[in-house]
Amino acid sequence: MSFASDLRQRLDLARKLIDEAGKLALAHFADLVHLRIDSKLNGQDVVSAADRGVEALIRGTLAKTFPEDGFLGEESGLADGRSGWRWTVDPIDGTSCFVHGLSSWCVSIALSDADEHTRLGLILAPVSGDLYEAVHGEGARLNGRPIKVDTQTSLETGLVGLGASHRVPAQEVASLLEMLLARGGMFVRSGSGALSIAEVAAGRLAAYYEPHINAWDCLAGLLIVREAGGFTADFPGAGRHLLTGGPVLAAAPQIAQPLNDLIASARRH
Ligand code: LIP
């Protein structure tokens, strides 16, 4: 089988699978009162039966169809494969929003090759129905229509998505917020890094930055931004490992440097 044919087969399945996963997640979302929720690292870091059920659906279907592929899921961890392909999946990104009944969550599926290049990225926001998708070298799409980052916005006119969690010192986030506001900028925090990164690709956000995020949260979105003409900093960055995560920056090209300068200043404070 050729590389292109292997990739196409996996894209076809990923499209069907993310739709099925979105429907399962929505069924849980409609019945939150009966949803089992557990804390992980702290009260803000939660996992639900919906996360586990959606990941089991995706992981089980992929294992049946492509048993030689590797898989990295937020809830079930890493399983190496022999084919060179590896799926990286966040069954529900924005779990905290999900369990609180907020609509800012999504299903994120990425596929990487043996050289750790992301070749497919799919992000579905089931509440809105928005499906973001990219194939390496073939552009980015939202609901089937081509998308591009916003090349006209600036820090002073655009919205910067900022991620925050208790995995990083509060002061680091506070310093960046202060510097961005002082610069005349504005921020939003949606609670779903994957969805915010996809909104950079759609030209809705000027950029997205988070001091620490995991691979399953961002690999799909970073490909979608690159294919939409955006800048993405190397992830997880020099000296870091896929499983430890790291900082993420995705931006319209004209925003990347001024925002990076603010990030560097905030880190020094
Ligand atoms: C979330 C990320 C978000 C981050 C949260 C959490 P999850 O992923 O999308 O950007 O700030 O701490 O990691 O846990 O909802 O899949």
Side-chain angles (χ1 to χ4, degrees):
M1 195 76 77
S2 73
F3 181 92
S5 163
D6 280 353
L7 186 60
R8 193 54 53 182
Q9 272 194 335
R10 286 163 173 78
L11 174 59
D12 291 347
L13 179 61
R15 284 171 171 162
K16 293 189 192 95
L17 197 43
I18 204 165
D19 182 59
E20 203 181 329
K23 289 188 172 81
L24 175 59
L26 271 178
H28 284 292
F29 193 62
D31 189 24
L32 291 176
V33 68
H34 294 110
L35 186 64
R36 179 191 163 119
I37 301 165
D38 299 303
S39 285
K40 296 200 283 191
L41 296 176
N42 54 61
Q44 297 291 348
D45 184 16
V46 294
V47 58
S48 75
D51 299 77
R52 294 190 174 107
V54 170
E55 184 162 323
L57 166 69
I58 295 172
R59 185 168 194 146
T61 305
L62 292 173
K64 239 187 294 184
T65 315
F66 302 114
E68 303 295 302
D69 287 8
F71 185 93
L72 170 58
E74 175 172 14
E75 310 311 340
S76 58
L78 176 64
D80 288 323
R82 287 189 292 271
S83 67
W85 297 105
R86 193 205 61 247
W87 300 89
T88 303
V89 172
D90 193 338
I92 295 177
D93 185 72
T95 299
S96 187
C97 293
F98 183 97
V99 302
H100 287 95
L102 298 171
S103 60
S104 181
W105 55 274
C106 62
V107 181
S108 181
I109 298 176
L111 178 68
S112 306
D113 64 19
D115 299 321
E116 200 50 58
H117 295 133
T118 309
R119 294 286 177 169
L120 297 180
L122 296 91
I123 293 174
L124 174 66
V127 175
S128 67
D130 280 346
L131 174 63
Y132 303 81
E133 179 185 302
V135 179
H136 179 261
E138 298 183 16
R141 293 176 178 274
L142 169 55
N143 300 329
R145 292 173 182 270
I147 50 175
K148 286 285 181 195
V149 295
D150 181 350
T151 56
Q152 302 308 307
T153 192
S154 68
L155 275 185
E156 291 76 15
T157 58
L159 290 175
V160 172
L162 282 185
S165 73
H166 294 293
R167 300 187 296 270
V168 298
Q171 188 54 53
E172 182 172 340
V173 178
S175 297
L176 181 56
L177 280 182
E178 183 184 2
M179 290 181 177
L180 178 64
L181 293 171
R183 171 73 187 269
M186 188 44 71
F187 69 95
V188 290
R189 181 188 189 267
S190 77
S192 168
L195 195 48
S196 296
I197 294 170
E199 288 173 333
V200 175
R204 296 171 175 166
L205 289 178
Y208 184 77
Y209 171 73
E210 183 156 1
H212 181 275
I213 202 168
N214 290 300
W216 45 81
D217 299 320
C218 67
L219 286 186
L222 291 175
L223 174 67
I224 295 168
V225 167
R226 289 193 292 272
E227 289 297 322
F231 165 87
T232 62
D234 179 39
F235 178 87
R240 295 189 182 88
H241 186 272
L242 193 69
L243 296 180
T244 56
V248 67
L249 175 62
Q254 74 280 6
I255 300 289
Q257 191 56 56
L259 181 54
N260 226 5
D261 292 346
L262 289 182
I263 292 164
S265 303
R267 280 195 189 132
R268 287 194 292 271
H269 277 67

